[in-house]
Amino acid sequence: MAQFELNLDPFSQLSAGVQTTGFSLAGVVNIAHLSGVNGFCLTYNGSKHGFTEQSVAMLVSLAPKARFNLRLPPKPDLVQAAIDLPVQQVTFTGEDLFKNHKKDLTTFVTKLKQQNRLVSIHIEPNVNELRQAYKLEADYVELNVSKFGASMHAPTQAAEREQLAILAKTAVKNQLGVA
């Protein structure tokens, strides 16, 4: 896994929403890569914020030694795009992934691994979802930290942090990388 992964989504939203001269996502990737960023992630749904498969391929070409991680919902056309693009990792995201897409995830994970792609699954911080990711033979899990980030009460923050730490240790013990 990349040691320092930059999420390009906020930059793409800025680029789509504000007309500025001299700002480009390609420039962000170049500067970040020169500054030591060795991984990039981008949420992709086929045409989000003006992104196309060609623009994703162009961004990947700007930092050829960096790991590119496409975050996407489990849909056949998007999985095929991830296979066709020169990305190294795919992270599945979405509401109730295992409830709504378990069969699809099984198929997609196998297909991506056959194409030498790393697979990550964005999960809620609970043992059941961690177990599901392990059974699917994911390479990584991405723990949802939104409850921890939204907590304003110190004891609640401590409890959320402890839950995240326990899950991360359990994942690593079971050969799953953690983001």
Side-chain angles (χ1 to χ4, degrees), residues 30-116:
N30 274 323
I31 291 169
H33 188 56
L34 290 170
S35 300
V37 172
N38 63 351
F40 297 92
C41 74
L42 175 66
T43 301
Y44 182 70
N45 67 8
S47 183
K48 182 177 182 174
H49 304 299
F51 280 108
T52 63
E53 290 179 39
Q54 293 77 21
S55 57
V56 173
M58 183 272 302
L59 292 174
V60 171
S61 73
L62 295 172
K65 294 184 180 178
R67 178 182 292 175
F68 274 80
N69 175 9
L70 274 188
R71 296 170 47 93
L72 47 87
K75 295 181 180 177
D77 58 326
L78 298 180
V79 171
Q80 187 58 52
I83 289 170
D84 294 340
L85 288 165
V87 298
Q88 296 82 13
Q89 183 173 341
V90 173
T91 299
F92 289 109
T93 63
E95 292 289 320
D96 297 319
L97 278 176
F98 300 112
K99 180 180 175 186
N100 297 330
H101 302 284
K102 186 173 183 177
K103 184 177 178 185
D104 292 335
L105 283 170
T106 302
T107 302
F108 297 154
V109 168
T110 301
K111 190 173 185 179
L112 287 163
K113 286 179 155 283
Q114 288 171 344
Q115 297 297 317
N116 297 316

